[in-house]
Amino acid sequence: MTSKFEKTQGTVVSISATEASEANPAGITWLSTSCSARELSYTGGQKDDIDVTTLCSTEKEMTNGLSAPSEMTINKNWSAYDDAQDSLMAAYETDTRRAVRVIFPSGNGFAYLAEVRQNSWSAATSGVVSASFTLRIIGKPIRIFAVTIPVTGVLLDKTTLSVKLGESFTLTPTIAPASATNRAVTWTSSTPGNVMIAASGSGVGLAVGTSTITVKTTDGAKTATCVVTVTA
């Protein structure tokens, strides 16, 4: 059963290899720091507290407090072989921006354009060197949703089949494209008294005669058939 909550294990954290001008640019090289990152945290920016002088005011007349930008913190183990970490260090040293992408195991996530405002590391006995990068988010985050690849067709490994009375068989569907997101199928027999078909695609000849076995995809309702003849 798929959980309705996002999982942390398997989350992919990626940094653009070079300077970026937008949060989720096309054609850019992404560097993963997932295998050294321990914790991510994001804090949305502080907005102005808006005040007015009368109940009938329709425009902002006073501002209480100062706005603050959104920030993200990446806590990780320091690694001598982490290209994403090197990109963050380069961004800090050159005052350039990087695209940052966080994708949860579900395929959903966020993309940001950010500046590295601070970095630090610490070393303690009997441990590993820890590093922390504080990123200032430029603009608003971009929501990323899991890409759904639709089913375009289905084929069966056999279109006709002859079996003996009481003989078992198995039909194998091939769903196109191979990367389709929802690959679930259902099976039906036109004459269940002659040929029984299970949810796994396995069937058995029950009585002499013919039956059309149909496989149908849950996504797109694509179908393929096989005519099964049962002989004595």
Side-chain angles (χ1 to χ4, degrees), residues 138-167:
I138 308 300
K140 294 183 178 180
I142 294 177
R143 292 286 302 274
I144 296 175
F145 296 97
V147 177
T148 300
I149 302 175
V151 172
T152 58
V154 61
L155 295 173
L156 285 173
D157 58 333
K158 304 177 185 68
T159 55
T160 60
L161 180 64
S162 179
V163 297
K164 297 289 186 180
L165 187 64
E167 183 181 354

Side-chain angles (χ1 to χ4, degrees), residues 8 11 13 37-44 70-76 100 102 104 110 112 132-137:
T8 54
T11 295
V13 185
R38 298 194 314 270
E39 182 181 9
L40 301 176
S41 62
Y42 169 80
T43 303
S70 302
E71 289 190 343
M72 172 184 284
T73 301
I74 302 176
N75 293 318
K76 63 190 300 297
V100 181
V102 179
F104 304 118
F110 298 90
Y112 308 88
S132 179
F133 291 87
T134 301
L135 282 58
R136 177 180 295 170
I137 307 303

Side-chain angles (χ1 to χ4, degrees), residues 209-229:
T210 61
S211 181
T212 299
I213 303 301
T214 302
V215 62
K216 182 178 180 180
T217 63
T218 301
D219 177 20
K222 306 298 182 181
T223 61
T225 60
C226 176
V227 177
V228 179
T229 301

